[in-house]
Amino acid sequence: MEQQQHQLTNCSTWSTAPKLHHLLHQNPQRIAFSNGRRQKSNQKKKSLNWRMRGFGNETPVLVVKASNGGAGTDVVETAVVDRPKLRRFQVSQGHPSPFGATTRDGGVNFAVYSANAVSVTLCLITLSDLEEDKVTEQLSLDPLTNKTGNVWHVFLKGDFKDTLYGYKFEGKFSPEEGLYYDSSKIVLDPYAKAVIRRGEYGKLSPDGNCWPQMAGTVPSFDDEFDWEGDLPLKYPQKDLIIYEIHVRGFTRHESSMAELPGTYLGLVEKLDHLKELGINCIELMPCHEFNELEYFGYNSVLGDYKVNFWGYSTVNYFSPMIRYSSAGIRNCGRGAINEVKFLIKEAHKRGIEVIMDVVFNHTAEGNENGPILSFRGADNSIYYMLAPKGEFYNYSGCGNTFNCNHPVVRQFIVDCLRYWVTEMHVDGFRFDLASIMTRGSSLWDATNVYGVPIEGDLLTTGTPLANPPLVDMISNDPILRGVKLIAEAWDTGGLYQVGMFPHWGIWSEWNGKYRDTVRQFIKGTDGFSGALAECLCGSPNLYQEGGRRPWNSINFVCAHDGFTLADIVTYNNKHNLANGEDNNDGESHNNSWNCGQEGEFASISVKKLRKRQMRNFFVCLMVSQGVPMIYMGDEYGHTKGGNNNTYCHDNYINYFRWDKKEESSLDFFRFCCLMTKFRQESESLGLNDFPTAERLQWHGHAPGVPDWSERSRFVAFTLMDSVKRELYIAFNASHLPATITLPERPGYRWDPLVDTSKPAPFDFLSSDLPGRDIAVKQYAHFLDANLYPMLSYSSIILFLSPVDP
């Protein structure tokens, strides 16, 4: 008896000891330790069958049983029994926050949310055991002591070297109720900071499994990175020139000559190219952990294998894509995390901000037939938008929809964004299919969300909300409010919010209407001159009334999905046979024009017109108010062969061609570099507010007489500029040439700078161009008469210079 009491006294680190201690002090006569002897009790007869659970190094478990032993007595039996030991760890109750695995107090605290699980088991796995699909050690969490509210937690001290972790959740498997608990599955912690299994991109596991068991990295007190004093650049958004980039595709081609091609460090090797191009912000296509083998299958068209190349199918939002790193799974993914940090630090050193493309609209778990990887196994009914009978809403077009406005889910998203800002130093986010973040969550309850009921609140799941709680939280978060926030303001469920996305004054939008209008006008479609004028001014028709500014419009002509810049002027129709879907995938309406012949093999005159049109698009992008975004490879004219949906190709179709870039170095690439530099030097091309009549005047073929008629294909304007004095910019999208009359400016003359109808290098008359003076003299007789001849499908930029006495 004395021995047993001594053991109880020394198990204060056991998970249930505090509850037993409390019970003994509240009812000292109810329970006594007797090794089976009967003890008197004056309390009412009652039976109790209660077990104390605990884990520890070499520590036995004390089992206490109390049951009815006859009139007026309780029989209390005790026994010391052995339980499976956690060989390397001391175990205690733990804390319910923060979520995830966190180092503290000389150990690691594990906390995970699950409202509907009846039991949770923490699985600890060494790297070697993971390869063999074995669990090294597991620890069942006591719902009495290792659970607070709906958070399961435990604290461990010990040697975590080369240790990973996951969870088993036990509960009801009832898809019609939205529950998918399967205790045979080890699922990822949604808050895991690195996800480990396959370390090499595109390589199957030894047994050929595309979805081998994964596990999260246990953090270490030794996880350090030397930021060398790195601080956010905090550029005003109006000054940005964004470059959408794919980490692997940027340097994977052999012509990159990168030491570590296709990796974060490979991108670092080529950052100077972006600096030369005038880029001060890169937008990384998805770099959260995803499974590139998700679509793995033989592609008979190309004779290779289809993969998920773009990465819009997230497995874990805290973990970087491990197989984009040169370190792979070495050191349990810590090397990969540090490579991302190094990329961001080196970009900042070169004056380049880093924005992440994040996919909070759906996950890789798909619909009811998809795998149980993380969110579904932890609490499917919380993390996904479900219909009353458990069906998955599919506003993403990818099988499921993340339940963004559920209180738990929106807190998860905010925690994730904060992590990437504070720990990884990213400068902002572009939200894929962001309109999903404005839809009402499953089991929408205004009282739960806002604290009070709303009169007439009959919203159903997925209904667009005027003030979505998630967007509200992000917009007013003290950390996230200060970073760049960009919405792709539509989804595949038909919700289109360009110009109407809930913004709190700080959100910008991918301006899809800008893309469509500019493509239509430049290719010579009637009826778009007025719409182009709106685009050139920063789309005030979309953003001014809501109190936003020109920089809330992210202007682009091309992006990762759709035609490249070269393909817009080469193909009328999509050519997606290489995707293996009989050309049925991808957008059929591209607003493109092949300039007279379909495909790359065309006459010399057609090819010249195509180059002219590419220059026209780039000029328009650079002289428009708002924030220009360039797609990777467009600066040299990358082609995807007319394929506008290259999500599945890990090959030359998506690879940046450094050899082609070199061929273009004195042609289109030079033109792009000079245009970005010109934009950055001009005070008037990145305004903080929409231009007024005091700064901007519209013109037609004659000064001050713009033509906004349905058949007009000419737009011209002058722009006052404190650095360049005044600029004259004109677009002739007609198939006919025109001689235009320029505004008179006594004491000054208009000098040519850009004429897209001229061959390189005379398309941009830079000050250091050999033979520039001769080229300018060729215009002299026109300019002396205040005239300028414009060829069909061309654009010009002139600047004002004082007349030499």
Side-chain angles (χ1 to χ4, degrees), residues 477-499:
D477 185 87
I479 293 173
L480 300 178
R481 185 174 176 83
V483 304
K484 276 74 177 181
L485 301 170
I486 303 171
E488 183 183 36
W490 56 83
D491 63 24
T492 65
L495 186 55
Y496 191 80
Q497 296 176 307
V498 172

Side-chain angles (χ1 to χ4, degrees), residues 613-631:
Q613 287 289 73
M614 288 171 62
R615 289 191 285 264
N616 289 335
F617 278 119
F618 205 83
V619 167
C620 187
L621 190 61
M622 287 300 125
V623 302
S624 297
Q625 301 299 328
V627 178
M629 185 185 78
I630 305 167
Y631 175 55

Side-chain angles (χ1 to χ4, degrees), residues 247 250-252 256-271 324-326 339 342-343 658:
V247 170
F250 195 54
T251 61
R252 186 60 188 169
S256 74
M257 305 297 288
E259 183 178 345
L260 298 166
T263 66
Y264 301 114
L265 298 184
L267 198 162
V268 172
E269 295 180 56
K270 295 295 186 178
L271 283 174
Y324 281 172
S325 71
S326 62
E339 286 188 25
F342 183 74
L343 164 61
W658 293 91

Side-chain angles (χ1 to χ4, degrees), residues 316-483:
N316 180 278
Y317 293 98
F318 281 83
S319 170
M321 175 58 172
I322 296 296
R323 291 169 300 286
Y324 281 172
S325 71
S326 62
I329 62 174
R330 293 194 299 274
N331 197 21
C332 293
R334 295 182 181 90
I337 294 173
N338 285 342
E339 286 188 25
V340 177
K341 292 179 177 180
F342 183 74
L343 164 61
I344 294 170
K345 180 176 72 172
E346 291 301 307
H348 286 173
K349 284 182 179 179
R350 292 163 175 81
I352 299 173
E353 291 190 334
V354 179
I355 289 175
M356 290 189 69
D357 193 341
V358 292
V359 191
F360 288 111
N361 57 77
H362 76 283
T363 76
E365 291 182 303
N367 60 17
E368 65 275 5
N369 299 315
I372 298 174
L373 304 173
S374 180
F375 304 97
R376 176 166 296 156
D379 213 324
N380 182 80
S381 63
I382 298 297
Y383 286 106
Y384 293 112
M385 197 180 289
L386 303 178
K389 293 185 179 181
E391 304 97 330
F392 288 85
Y393 280 88
N394 189 19
Y395 294 116
S396 68
C398 297
N400 64 54
T401 304
F402 216 45
N403 204 21
C404 294
N405 282 301
H406 186 282
V408 171
V409 181
R410 66 178 186 258
Q411 185 62 58
F412 165 81
I413 293 173
V414 168
D415 289 345
C416 178
L417 298 176
R418 280 185 157 207
Y419 171 81
W420 282 96
V421 171
T422 59
E423 181 66 25
M424 307 297 283
H425 289 205
V426 303
D427 301 284
F429 305 93
R430 178 263 185 186
F431 294 81
D432 183 66
L433 298 184
S435 289
I436 283 176
M437 302 195 308
T438 72
R439 292 185 180 270
S441 61
S442 297
L443 304 177
W444 175 259
D445 180 359
T447 303
N448 182 38
V449 173
Y450 296 116
V452 294
I454 298 176
E455 185 176 351
D457 181 26
L458 299 176
L459 297 176
T460 58
T461 300
T463 299
L465 307 173
N467 297 293
L470 172 60
V471 181
D472 187 348
M473 282 183 68
I474 295 172
S475 303
N476 292 289
D477 185 87
I479 293 173
L480 300 178
R481 185 174 176 83
V483 304

Side-chain angles (χ1 to χ4, degrees), residues 496-501 503 509-514 534-535 538-549 553 690:
Y496 191 80
Q497 296 176 307
V498 172
M500 299 174 289
F501 189 84
H503 56 81
E509 299 170 7
W510 265 27
N511 192 343
K513 293 183 178 180
Y514 177 97
E534 295 278 7
C535 291
S539 300
N541 57 317
L542 297 177
Y543 301 111
Q544 190 169 33
E545 185 176 344
R548 284 191 279 181
R549 307 291 181 85
S553 172
F690 298 101

